[in-house]
Amino acid sequence: MASSIRPPAPRPCESCPYRRDVPAGIWAAEEYDKLRRYDADTPYQPPRIFQCHQNDADNDSRRICAGWAGCHDTNNLLALRLAILQGRVDTATHQAVADYTSPVPLFPTGNDAADHGLAGLDTPTNHARRLIEKISHTRQDLP
């Protein structure tokens, strides 16, 4: 069985909300709020894998977010457990997520990443505006 979603990229993308060096305020508040939910105890986490924001949700190139894989304890991610049981992720992809280590600094928790991102929503920097523009050209499913 082949995985329906690819493993994480070698490094989190330049707009990954989990990266410490990404400017605040480039994603919508709802996107930052999603990060917090994966910090919950396993039974209370979202059942869906957190995908990289660089591709449309149903794109054949979609992959597991490298920041998500690097930030969270993958042994305790409900979404990853369910994905392997439901056949949406093959064993090689599961192992790639379990073994993933980010080469760039990430926030230690989804809560910390969300707090950082939300802090810049009302006053995005020029760097943030450039990333927003780049994302809007890449993603066809965003308004």
Side-chain angles (χ1 to χ4, degrees), residues 97-115:
V97 175
D99 294 341
Y100 186 79
T101 301
S102 176
V104 297
L106 303 175
F107 286 101
T109 68
N111 278 318
D112 291 334
D115 288 346

Side-chain angles (χ1 to χ4, degrees), residues 82-140:
L82 291 174
I84 192 83
L85 289 172
Q86 295 167 345
R88 291 181 287 123
V89 169
D90 60 25
T91 54
T93 299
H94 181 273
Q95 194 61 49
V97 175
D99 294 341
Y100 186 79
T101 301
S102 176
V104 297
L106 303 175
F107 286 101
T109 68
N111 278 318
D112 291 334
D115 288 346
H116 167 76
L118 289 168
L121 280 181
D122 295 331
T123 56
T125 64
N126 287 336
H127 183 202
R129 291 176 198 275
R130 283 192 298 277
L131 285 174
I132 292 166
E133 179 78 17
K134 188 174 182 179
I135 294 162
S136 66
H137 286 297
T138 304
R139 294 280 303 267
Q140 301 302 311

Side-chain angles (χ1 to χ4, degrees), residues 5-142:
I5 185 170
R6 297 180 346 181
R11 68 185 304 115
C13 63
E14 68 177 337
S15 61
C16 181
Y18 285 102
R19 283 180 65 148
R20 286 183 171 270
D21 62 348
V22 170
I26 62 171
W27 298 104
E30 308 83 64
E31 295 303 309
Y32 289 116
D33 288 339
K34 289 178 186 178
L35 308 181
R36 298 182 195 286
R37 297 181 194 138
Y38 292 101
D39 286 347
D41 289 337
T42 305
Y44 303 104
Q45 293 175 10
R48 298 192 55 137
I49 285 180
F50 195 80
Q51 296 182 42
C52 177
H53 283 88
Q54 293 299 312
N55 293 301
D56 298 344
D58 59 354
N59 186 304
D60 288 339
S61 297
R62 70 187 181 277
R63 65 184 333 135
I64 294 169
C65 172
W68 180 75
C71 173
H72 297 286
D73 177 359
T74 55
N75 291 322
N76 294 319
L77 285 172
L78 176 64
L80 192 57
R81 291 179 184 183
L82 291 174
I84 192 83
L85 289 172
Q86 295 167 345
R88 291 181 287 123
V89 169
D90 60 25
T91 54
T93 299
H94 181 273
Q95 194 61 49
V97 175
D99 294 341
Y100 186 79
T101 301
S102 176
V104 297
L106 303 175
F107 286 101
T109 68
N111 278 318
D112 291 334
D115 288 346
H116 167 76
L118 289 168
L121 280 181
D122 295 331
T123 56
T125 64
N126 287 336
H127 183 202
R129 291 176 198 275
R130 283 192 298 277
L131 285 174
I132 292 166
E133 179 78 17
K134 188 174 182 179
I135 294 162
S136 66
H137 286 297
T138 304
R139 294 280 303 267
Q140 301 302 311
D141 62 337
L142 298 175

